[in-house]
């Protein structure tokens, strides 16, 4: 595999978080995205952050920040598309900004179990996590058509491209994600 880019998806609206920029919400004294950055960085060659506001704050991390090319927040696929267009190597591995305990070996697992698929994502404890995914840049072209047709379903799209899930060992807490202010108190 050539250069592997890690992409942190932080471009959502954070409606369940009262409209806050979820990646910047503090958890144990650090913005959520930074938890993800610290776990993703050792697993990839370079990290890019996909964000649509507070760009200067994300840039403080030293990472390049890529904004969506769509203005209407169509969902995570928009961030995936925008990042795939911007990466230098052939492959990107994605993580939401709201999963602060992602495993330190999930990228290795995705790479090893990819076979010849152009996209793979994490499944653990019978739950799919399609925003934790390894995707080839050539997927950007069909993704553009899919989004322009008004489609939004991430896993359906990845399956249609020949993608499949990769089983990771059961570790429920590793994939907890934070959606509401209550999640910040309860889970970590
Ligand atoms: N670039 C981009 N990322 C998005 C978009 N919508 C969601 N995401 C990202 O996709 C991941 C999962 O999305 P959600 O949990 O629904 O995040 P969200 O949209 O911020 O939160 P809600 O508005 O409460 O659903 C998060 O990492 C979001 O940042 C979008 O329109 N553009």
């Amino acid at each position: 595999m050539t250069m592997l880019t890690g992409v942190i998806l932080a471009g959502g609206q954070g409606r369940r978080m009262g409209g806050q920029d979820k990646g910047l919400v503090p958890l144990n004294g650090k913005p959520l995205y930074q938890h993800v950055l610290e776990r993703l960085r050792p697993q990839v060659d370079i990290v890019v952050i996909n964000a649509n506001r507070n760009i200067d704050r994300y840039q403080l991390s030293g990472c390049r920040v890529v904004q969506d090319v769509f203005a209407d927040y169509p969902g995570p696929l928009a961030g995936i598309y925008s990042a795939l267009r911007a990466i230098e190597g052939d492959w990107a591995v994605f993580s939401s900004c709201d999963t602060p305990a992602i495993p330190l070996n999930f990228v290795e697992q995705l790479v090893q179990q990819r076979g010849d698929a152009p996209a793979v994502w994490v499944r653990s404890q019978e739950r799919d996590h399609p925003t934790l995914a390894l995707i080839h840049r050539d997927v950007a072209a069909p993704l553009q058509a899919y989004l322009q047709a008004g489609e939004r379903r991430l896993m359906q799209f990845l399956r249609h491209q020949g993608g499949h899930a990769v089983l990771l060992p059961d570790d429920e807490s590793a994939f907890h994600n934070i959606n509401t202010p209550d999640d910040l108190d309860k889970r970590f």
Side-chain angles (χ1 to χ4, degrees):
M1 186 168 281
T2 57
M3 190 172 85
L4 177 59
T5 304
V7 181
I8 300 175
L9 292 168
Q13 292 178 280
R15 286 161 294 193
R16 286 167 288 175
M17 197 57 87
Q20 291 185 78
D21 191 342
K22 201 157 65 171
L24 297 178
V25 168
L27 172 72
N28 300 332
K30 270 189 297 201
L32 260 181
Y33 90 89
Q34 243 177 50
H35 292 264
V36 176
L37 178 59
E38 284 168 16
R39 291 180 156 261
L40 187 59
R41 194 174 247 157
Q43 305 188 56
V44 296
D45 296 306
I46 189 170
V47 178
V48 166
I49 298 173
N50 166 236
N52 290 311
R53 46 187 165 149
N54 298 307
I55 306 303
D56 50 340
R57 286 196 58 194
Y58 286 107
Q59 281 170 336
L60 287 175
S61 66
C63 296
R64 180 176 167 210
V65 179
V66 173
Q67 291 183 249
D68 281 7
V69 295
F70 298 90
D72 58 343
Y73 289 101
L77 274 175
I80 290 173
Y81 171 70
S82 306
L84 284 176
R85 280 179 22 141
I87 61 170
E88 283 174 32
D90 284 339
W91 291 91
V93 65
F94 293 85
S95 173
S96 291
C97 63
D98 60 7
T99 45
I102 48 169
L104 290 162
N105 68 344
F106 87 98
V107 175
E108 183 189 339
Q109 294 293 320
L110 290 173
V111 169
Q112 283 178 1
Q113 297 184 56
R114 179 178 68 79
D116 58 2
V120 281
W121 65 91
V122 168
R123 180 182 291 156
S124 181
Q125 291 202 327
E126 294 174 21
R127 281 200 57 200
D128 288 294
H129 300 282
T131 52
L132 286 172
L134 173 68
I135 304 177
H136 193 277
R137 69 185 305 170
D138 286 353
V139 165
L143 179 50
Q144 181 179 26
Y146 187 77
L147 284 164
Q148 281 172 347
E151 298 285 355
R152 302 287 181 255
R153 284 166 292 180
L154 172 51
M155 219 162 61
Q156 187 208 51
F157 172 77
L158 295 179
R159 274 215 184 90
H160 204 247
Q161 296 308 305
H164 61 82
V166 161
L167 278 182
L168 260 69
D170 294 353
D171 179 356
E172 206 177 325
S173 59
F175 304 107
H176 273 167
N177 69 328
I178 290 181
N179 290 311
T180 67
D182 279 354
D183 291 339
L184 288 163
D185 298 332
K186 274 190 250 157
R187 292 184 168 173
F188 296 90

